[in-house]
Amino acid sequence: MSGPLIDFDRVSQIYAARDGSPVWALSDVSLRVEAGEFVCLIGPSGCGKSTLIHLLAGFLKPTSGAVRFRGRPLDGPGPDRGVVFQEYALFAWMTARQNVEFGLRMQRVSAPVRRRRALEALDRVGLRHAADRYPHELSGGMRQRVAVARALVVEPEVVLMDEPFAAVDAMTRTTLQEDLLRLWRETGVSVLFVTHNIDEAVFLAQRVVVMGAGPGVIREDLTVDLPYPRDRGSAEFGREYARIAAALARGSRGADQSDGERRAA
Amino acid sequence: MTAATDDAAGTGLSTPRHSAADARSDSAAFAEEFRRAHRRGLRRAAWLRALLNVTGILLFLAVWEAVPRLGTWVNPVLLPPPSVVFDTFVPMLLSGEIPANILASLRRAALGFGIATATGVTAGLLTARIGLLHHVSEPILHGFRSVPSIALVPLSVLWFGIGEGSKVALVAWGSFFPIWITTFIGVRDVPAAYLRSAACLGAGRLATLLLVVLPAALPMILAGLRQGIAVSLILLVAAELSGAREGVAYMMSTGHQMFRVDIMLIGLVLLGTFGFIADRLFVALIRRLFPWYTTAS
C-alpha cells in the first residue's frame, strides 16, 4: 500500500463552550501513522488527544482539514477501526462471549464459526474460562481484556485505545500492557494509544507523540528506539522516560507562558 | 516386636506428612462445616422473617376482630369483623360469583395494560430516537399527561359506552404515560459508549436499536411497566365504579348499594392481593428473564 495508513492533514476541531465561545480542541494538527506502528499520544488534559481518536473512529468530523484512512477520507465509524474505551463500554446484557461475538454477528458470520472465533479471541486474552460470565461478574482488568478481544476479533487494521487501562490498579495494568504488546506483535495491527502516563508510553510505544493544550497541538514526535520486551529498571528506559517528561514539561511551560502573556496583555 | 517397631517407625516417619494431610482434610472439613452453618443461619433468618410476617397479619386480624366486638363506639355493621367477612366470602367464592368478577377485572386490566405496553414502548422509542418526532409530539403528549386520567372517566363512558371498551381504553390510557415517559428517558440516556461500540463493530440502525438501545434502556422500561401495573389497577377501579356489569370494583359498588360493608371489604382485600401478586410476579419474571439486570447496577 502506498502512503500512510492514517493521515491527519492539517486538522482543526472547534466546538462551542457552554457560553458559546469557540474552543480549539485541535489547531492545525498533522500526524501520519504507518501500518503496524504502535503510537502513543500523551499530553495534559484538554490537549485534544481523545479528539484525535474520536476523529479517526468517525465519531466526529473535523472542522477543517482532512482525516484519511488508507488514503480515503473517513465516513463514519466502521469495523476497520476498532476502539477500546476507558470503561463501561461492554454490553452489560451480554456475556463476555456474546460481547466478543457482536462484531462477527454484524458481519453475518454463522453461529458456530462466530462462537469458535470468539472463544479463540477470549483464549488469546486468557479469559476462555470466563466466556459465559456477564461484565458485572468480571474485574476491571478482565473487562478491559474482553473489550480488547471484542475490538480485535473483527480484525481491524488499527485499534484506537482511549486511556484503556486508566481505571485498573497498577499491577493489573502492567499485565494488561504486556498482553497488549503480545497481541500487537501476533496480529500486526496498528495501535493508536492515548495515555497520560509516561511510564506506559515508554513501555508500549515505538513513537510517542507529545501534545500540548489550549489550543491542542502536537509539540514533539519522539521515537522510542528500545527493543521489546522493555525493562522498566534499565538505564535506557529511564533515559527515554526523562526525555518524554522533559518534552511534556517544555510543552506545559510554553502553555503557561502564553497563558501569562495573555493575562498580562 | 517387629510390629511394634514397624508401628513406631511408621508413626515416627509419617507423623509430619500425616498431620499435613490431616490439616488439609481438617480445613476442608472445616470449610464444609462453616458453609453448612452459614446456610443454616440464613435459613433460620428466613424462617424467622416469615414467622414475623405472619404474626403481623394475625395481629392485624386480631385487632380488627376485637374492635367491633368489644368496642361500643364501633358499629359492627359499618366495620364487620374478619370472621363475618370470611363467612360471606366462602359462599360467594363457591357459587362462582367472586371468580367471575376476578376474571372480568383481570381481563380488562391485562388487555389495557398490554395495549399500553405496546404503544408506550413504541412511542418512547420513536420519540427518543427521532428528534423531529420528539419535538412535534412533545407539547401534545406532555399536555395529555398532565390531565389526571380519572378525569376522563365520564368522557370515556360517553365515547365507549359502559361495555368493556371504555374500561380497557381507560386502563390503557392511564398506564400508557408512565411507560412512554420512562422508555423515552431510558432510550435518550443510553450511554454514548454503547452506541459508539456498536457503530465501531459495524452495527446498522436496526441492529443497534434491537440489540443495544432496547436492552440498555430496559431497566428504565421495566420501571415504567411496574408503575404502569399500579396505575392500571387504579383506573380499573375508577372505570368499574362508573358503571359495569361485573368486576371486583363493580361487586364493591353493589355491596355499597345493598349496604353490605362485608362485600366491600372482600373487594378491598382482593384488590390489594391483585396489586401485591402482580408486582411480585413482575419482579420474579425480571429476575428470570434478565439475570444481568438485578445485580448489574
Side-chain angles (χ1 to χ4, degrees), chain A residues 89-95 98-99 102 105-106 134-135 150, chain B residues 121 125 129 182-183 185-191 194-195 198 203-223 286 289-294 296-297:
Chain A
L90 286 184
F91 301 132
W93 52 94
M94 296 185 188
T95 62
Q98 287 167 335
N99 263 286
F102 186 85
R105 201 167 159 188
M106 295 303 108
Y134 286 96
R150 184 174 75 169
Chain B
V121 170
L125 263 176
R129 293 286 285 179
T182 48
T183 304
I185 294 171
V187 170
R188 184 194 61 191
D189 294 347
V190 169
Y194 284 157
L195 299 175
R205 263 184 98 83
L206 189 66
T208 306
L209 188 71
L210 294 179
L211 299 178
V212 178
V213 172
L214 265 185
L218 199 64
M220 282 301 287
I221 296 175
L222 293 176
I286 288 170
L289 289 180
F290 314 112
W292 52 271
Y293 168 53
T294 33
S297 49

Side-chain angles (χ1 to χ4, degrees), chain B residues 2-161:
Chain B
T2 13
T5 32
D6 270 352
D7 196 36
T11 39
L13 268 175
S14 63
T15 298
R17 227 184 307 151
H18 190 69
S19 69
D22 251 14
R24 242 195 322 276
S25 71
D26 265 8
S27 72
F30 173 77
E32 181 50 41
E33 177 53 36
F34 186 85
R35 220 175 291 131
R36 215 176 292 143
H38 180 68
R39 252 183 265 132
R40 228 177 4 247
L42 286 181
R43 238 188 342 258
R44 201 172 299 145
W47 270 109
L48 188 65
R49 209 162 45 229
L51 193 70
L52 287 173
N53 288 162
V54 172
T55 311
I57 294 172
L58 290 179
L59 266 176
F60 173 76
L61 288 177
V63 171
W64 178 8
E65 185 74 44
V67 165
R69 282 181 192 281
L70 302 179
T72 49
W73 37 276
V74 174
N75 184 345
V77 177
L78 289 180
L79 181 63
S83 54
V84 174
V85 175
F86 189 74
D87 284 345
T88 313
F89 173 74
V90 172
M92 281 177 84
L93 181 72
L94 296 179
S95 73
E97 190 182 344
I98 284 178
N101 284 322
I102 290 178
L103 213 64
S105 288
L106 281 186
R107 205 169 40 228
R108 287 170 190 145
L111 200 57
F113 179 71
I115 293 171
T117 302
T119 53
V121 170
T122 311
L125 263 176
L126 291 177
T127 50
R129 293 286 285 179
I130 304 168
L132 182 80
L133 207 58
H134 168 50
H135 296 304
V136 170
S137 62
E138 199 177 18
I140 305 298
L141 279 172
H142 282 282
F144 277 130
R145 191 171 76 94
S146 310
V147 177
S149 312
I150 293 184
L152 290 164
V153 171
L155 198 61
S156 162
V157 172
L158 281 182
W159 282 356
F160 300 103

Side-chain angles (χ1 to χ4, degrees), chain A residues 23-34:
Chain A
V23 176
W24 291 74
L26 291 171
S27 169
D28 208 21
V29 167
S30 292
L31 176 69
R32 292 175 159 209
V33 177
E34 302 296 331

